[in-house]
Amino acid sequence: MKHATNAAFRRNTRICEVTMSLKVCLAGATGWAGSELARGIAANSDLDLVAAVSRRHAGQPLGTALGDAAITTPVFASAAEALAARCDVFVEYTHPDTARANILAALEHGAHVVVGTSGLSDEDYARIDAVARERGRGVLACGNFALTAVLLIKFSEMAAKILPQWEIIDYAYAGKPDAPSGTVRELATRMGKVRQPRLEVPLEQTKGLRETRGGTLAGSQVHAVRLPGFVLGAETIFGLPDQTLSIRHNAGGSAKPYVDGALLAIRKVSTLTGLHRGLDAVLEL
């Protein structure tokens, strides 16, 4: 009788573990970053990828597009169709022109949302925050899921409280059309909320080519480098008399650096209510 009881307990425990897994819907599941994240979700037993969004691959299993037959997640042409399958967390990894509608639809369906898409406006985020709070759901929007990029921003904020002068370098591949990058925009914006850096020589007093002093973003001077050999990176350089501090993040050519941070966001977003910006919102720093 004791053995039968133990066996039943083990069965019930396994059932509980299955039901405890987070159901995830991933929009942009076949893109550069989304496909790597899809593989990461599928590889973790506490996550269940129940639906994917990709117009090009709609109607077939996700594994067909990713070259992994073990991933049987159905692919839908739109977020509205995919959300018919109930999910706990909706991950938005598509394009700015569809992101807002996808996020609001997910909130209306009762899902928490992780946002990896950049390019949304402050007005977009204000609307998203209002709906999320009304629905009692969390939205975690991250300009960069790479853990080293998250730490770059956090450490730079900490240093800005003590060091009054800095400039930012934005590194990227030669063909990147936007400048600065989304990561550097977030970096400059967050540092600007700490304080405005001091300039020894005001920009209007620059002699020669004023443009060589870079562009001003949220009070910081930003210099964008676009050359072959770089992929994505950012550096904050602080200066004091006879000493400097450099905090730098570099990412390679694959999407792997962004997976661990995105998985962390998926697991933690349900602890939030309303909109939160930056992965450090759920990191114990």
Side-chain angles (χ1 to χ4, degrees), residues 11-54:
R11 283 196 301 272
N12 290 336
T13 300
R14 285 196 295 271
I15 292 171
C16 182
E17 287 174 351
V18 171
T19 57
M20 287 289 285
S21 63
L22 282 173
K23 298 182 183 299
V24 181
C25 175
L26 175 57
T30 59
W32 177 72
S35 58
E36 198 67 47
L37 177 56
R39 295 184 182 95
I41 295 171
N44 283 269
S45 60
D46 64 322
L47 303 175
D48 183 12
L49 188 57
V50 297
V53 179
S54 172

XYZ file of all heavy atoms in Angstrom, residues 11-54:
311
model
N 3.397 10.459 -9.545
C 2.615 10.793 -10.729
C 2.001 12.178 -10.592
O 2.009 12.981 -11.521
C 1.509 9.740 -10.958
C 2.001 8.445 -11.554
C 0.835 7.639 -12.108
N -0.153 7.328 -11.075
C -0.098 6.257 -10.285
N 0.904 5.398 -10.396
N -1.050 6.045 -9.383
N 1.452 12.451 -9.413
C 0.839 13.762 -9.190
C 1.870 14.880 -9.257
O 1.582 15.980 -9.726
C 0.139 13.797 -7.822
C -1.104 12.933 -7.799
O -1.688 12.678 -8.848
N -1.513 12.482 -6.614
N 3.064 14.586 -8.779
C 4.140 15.582 -8.830
C 4.512 15.900 -10.266
O 4.701 17.058 -10.644
C 5.387 15.083 -8.070
O 5.026 14.851 -6.706
C 6.505 16.118 -8.125
N 4.596 14.845 -11.105
C 4.929 15.049 -12.511
C 3.831 15.858 -13.208
O 4.103 16.740 -14.018
C 5.135 13.697 -13.208
C 6.457 13.040 -12.860
C 6.776 11.932 -13.858
N 5.811 10.846 -13.783
C 5.929 9.799 -12.970
N 6.966 9.704 -12.163
N 5.009 8.839 -12.969
N 2.568 15.561 -12.905
C 1.461 16.294 -13.492
C 1.536 17.763 -13.099
O 1.339 18.666 -13.903
C 0.110 15.691 -13.052
C -0.054 14.302 -13.667
C -1.048 16.602 -13.457
C -1.246 13.546 -13.129
N 1.859 18.003 -11.812
C 1.971 19.374 -11.323
C 3.085 20.120 -12.035
O 2.937 21.281 -12.412
C 2.234 19.366 -9.819
S 2.348 21.009 -9.084
N 4.216 19.435 -12.268
C 5.339 20.064 -12.950
C 4.962 20.461 -14.370
O 5.332 21.517 -14.865
C 6.538 19.107 -12.978
C 7.204 18.965 -11.602
C 8.295 17.918 -11.622
O 8.407 17.207 -12.645
O 9.038 17.808 -10.636
N 4.164 19.580 -15.046
C 3.747 19.871 -16.410
C 2.843 21.097 -16.431
O 2.987 22.001 -17.235
C 3.051 18.648 -17.033
C 2.426 19.033 -18.367
C 4.052 17.504 -17.219
N 1.861 21.122 -15.504
C 0.912 22.224 -15.499
C 1.554 23.524 -15.047
O 1.032 24.595 -15.322
C -0.282 21.895 -14.582
O 0.206 21.611 -13.256
C -1.048 20.703 -15.094
N 2.692 23.446 -14.348
C 3.363 24.644 -13.859
C 4.210 25.312 -14.929
O 4.682 26.422 -14.740
C 4.251 24.294 -12.655
C 3.488 24.002 -11.381
S 2.758 25.481 -10.666
C 4.214 26.252 -9.980
N 4.432 24.655 -16.064
C 5.271 25.237 -17.099
C 4.583 26.461 -17.690
O 3.366 26.507 -17.852
C 5.568 24.214 -18.199
O 4.382 23.821 -18.838
N 5.378 27.480 -18.006
C 4.854 28.714 -18.584
C 4.557 28.514 -20.059
O 5.419 28.062 -20.818
C 5.869 29.847 -18.414
C 5.977 30.503 -17.045
C 7.157 31.472 -17.036
C 4.691 31.231 -16.686
N 3.359 28.865 -20.459
C 2.980 28.772 -21.867
C 3.390 30.067 -22.565
O 2.979 31.156 -22.149
C 1.478 28.526 -21.997
C 1.023 27.209 -21.373
C -0.455 26.994 -21.578
C -0.928 25.718 -20.901
N -0.247 24.515 -21.441
N 4.185 29.931 -23.621
C 4.777 31.096 -24.293
C 4.333 31.151 -25.746
O 4.311 30.134 -26.452
C 6.324 31.031 -24.230
C 6.937 32.262 -24.898
C 6.798 30.908 -22.785
N 3.988 32.357 -26.199
C 3.730 32.621 -27.618
C 4.823 33.579 -28.100
O 5.044 34.624 -27.481
C 2.350 33.238 -27.804
S 1.989 33.732 -29.506
N 5.483 33.234 -29.175
C 6.614 34.019 -29.673
C 6.298 34.596 -31.044
O 6.154 33.866 -32.029
C 7.866 33.133 -29.743
C 9.133 33.746 -30.346
C 9.546 35.018 -29.620
C 10.276 32.722 -30.324
N 6.202 35.912 -31.124
C 5.987 36.603 -32.398
C 7.338 37.003 -32.977
O 8.146 37.633 -32.307
C 5.118 37.845 -32.188
N 7.581 36.606 -34.227
C 8.890 36.810 -34.831
C 9.794 35.619 -34.607
O 11.016 35.747 -34.496
N 9.176 34.437 -34.566
C 9.887 33.217 -34.168
C 10.880 32.712 -35.194
O 11.688 31.830 -34.889
C 8.882 32.117 -33.846
N 10.843 33.213 -36.421
C 11.783 32.736 -37.441
C 12.803 33.806 -37.831
O 13.570 33.612 -38.759
C 11.032 32.266 -38.707
O 10.257 33.360 -39.233
C 10.113 31.100 -38.381
N 12.802 34.920 -37.123
C 13.771 35.976 -37.394
C 15.136 35.645 -36.826
O 15.339 34.602 -36.192
N 16.082 36.570 -37.021
C 17.468 36.347 -36.575
C 17.535 36.085 -35.079
O 18.106 35.082 -34.637
C 18.316 37.569 -36.948
C 19.737 37.489 -36.490
C 20.713 36.692 -37.007
C 20.355 38.231 -35.435
N 21.906 36.889 -36.336
C 21.705 37.842 -35.370
C 19.885 39.205 -34.546
C 22.593 38.379 -34.449
C 20.771 39.748 -33.632
C 22.108 39.330 -33.589
N 16.951 36.944 -34.277
C 16.967 36.761 -32.825
C 15.870 35.814 -32.376
O 16.074 34.989 -31.474
C 16.829 38.114 -32.127
N 14.691 35.911 -32.998
C 13.563 35.089 -32.586
C 13.799 33.605 -32.754
O 13.371 32.800 -31.913
N 14.472 33.208 -33.833
C 14.707 31.777 -34.061
C 15.628 31.189 -32.996
O 15.418 30.059 -32.540
C 15.300 31.556 -35.456
O 16.516 32.263 -35.617
N 16.636 31.950 -32.575
C 17.537 31.469 -31.524
C 16.788 31.378 -30.196
O 16.984 30.434 -29.421
C 18.737 32.408 -31.393
C 19.922 31.809 -30.658
C 20.582 30.670 -31.420
O 20.837 30.813 -32.626
O 20.830 29.616 -30.789
N 15.920 32.347 -29.943
C 15.128 32.317 -28.713
C 14.151 31.149 -28.742
O 13.926 30.500 -27.713
C 14.377 33.636 -28.539
C 13.441 33.730 -27.334
C 14.190 33.445 -26.043
C 12.773 35.088 -27.282
N 13.554 30.866 -29.897
C 12.625 29.738 -30.010
C 13.325 28.435 -29.615
O 12.754 27.603 -28.890
C 12.077 29.644 -31.429
N 14.538 28.264 -30.096
C 15.300 27.057 -29.730
C 15.570 27.029 -28.225
O 15.523 25.974 -27.583
C 16.610 26.998 -30.509
C 16.434 26.829 -32.017
C 17.788 26.674 -32.711
N 17.638 26.562 -34.149
C 17.729 27.582 -35.004
N 17.975 28.808 -34.530
N 17.579 27.402 -36.292
N 15.870 28.191 -27.658
C 16.130 28.265 -26.224
C 14.906 27.931 -25.400
O 14.997 27.214 -24.387
N 13.741 28.421 -25.803
C 12.501 28.109 -25.093
C 12.210 26.616 -25.177
O 11.870 25.966 -24.179
C 11.327 28.912 -25.679
C 11.532 30.415 -25.432
C 9.999 28.457 -25.070
C 10.539 31.290 -26.168
N 12.351 26.058 -26.375
C 12.058 24.636 -26.581
C 12.988 23.736 -25.769
O 12.612 22.612 -25.415
C 12.171 24.297 -28.065
N 14.179 24.219 -25.461
C 15.160 23.401 -24.746
C 14.964 23.419 -23.230
O 15.645 22.689 -22.512
C 16.580 23.878 -25.081
N 14.024 24.236 -22.730
C 13.822 24.353 -21.286
C 12.483 23.746 -20.882
O 11.426 24.144 -21.384
C 13.874 25.829 -20.869
C 15.293 26.346 -20.825
O 15.955 26.288 -19.786
N 15.782 26.848 -21.953
N 12.533 22.788 -19.947
C 11.340 22.031 -19.572
C 10.312 22.861 -18.821
O 9.134 22.481 -18.767
C 11.744 20.821 -18.725
O 12.416 21.248 -17.545
N 10.708 23.986 -18.242
C 9.744 24.803 -17.504
C 9.003 25.782 -18.409
O 8.145 26.533 -17.950
C 10.441 25.570 -16.374
C 11.454 26.574 -16.898
O 12.145 26.264 -17.890
O 11.550 27.678 -16.315
N 9.339 25.773 -19.712
C 8.676 26.642 -20.676
C 8.040 25.797 -21.772
O 8.616 24.794 -22.199
C 9.679 27.623 -21.293
C 10.453 28.519 -20.323
C 11.490 29.346 -21.076
C 9.501 29.418 -19.536
N 6.879 26.220 -22.233
C 6.152 25.485 -23.271
C 5.798 26.462 -24.393
O 4.957 27.351 -24.206
C 4.886 24.872 -22.664
C 4.104 24.037 -23.666
O 4.648 23.748 -24.754
O 2.947 23.676 -23.354
N 6.463 26.318 -25.533
C 6.217 27.193 -26.676
C 4.957 26.708 -27.387
O 5.006 25.799 -28.207
C 7.423 27.176 -27.615
C 7.415 28.192 -28.769
C 7.279 29.612 -28.253
C 8.688 28.049 -29.605
N 3.820 27.334 -27.084
C 2.529 26.840 -27.573
C 2.131 27.431 -28.918
O 1.291 26.861 -29.620
C 1.411 27.116 -26.545
C 1.675 26.366 -25.248
C 1.256 28.618 -26.272
N 2.710 28.584 -29.294
C 2.348 29.210 -30.561
C 3.466 30.128 -31.023
O 4.207 30.680 -30.211
C 1.044 29.995 -30.439
N 3.579 30.269 -32.347
C 4.584 31.145 -32.938
C 3.928 31.975 -34.030
O 2.911 31.564 -34.610
C 5.748 30.330 -33.502
N 4.525 33.143 -34.307
C 3.993 34.027 -35.345
C 5.070 34.265 -36.397
O 6.186 34.684 -36.087
C 3.537 35.382 -34.768
C 3.004 36.281 -35.883
C 2.490 35.177 -33.687
N 4.725 33.962 -37.646
C 5.606 34.220 -38.785
C 4.752 34.144 -40.045
O 4.243 33.065 -40.379
C 6.746 33.202 -38.858
O 7.481 33.355 -40.073
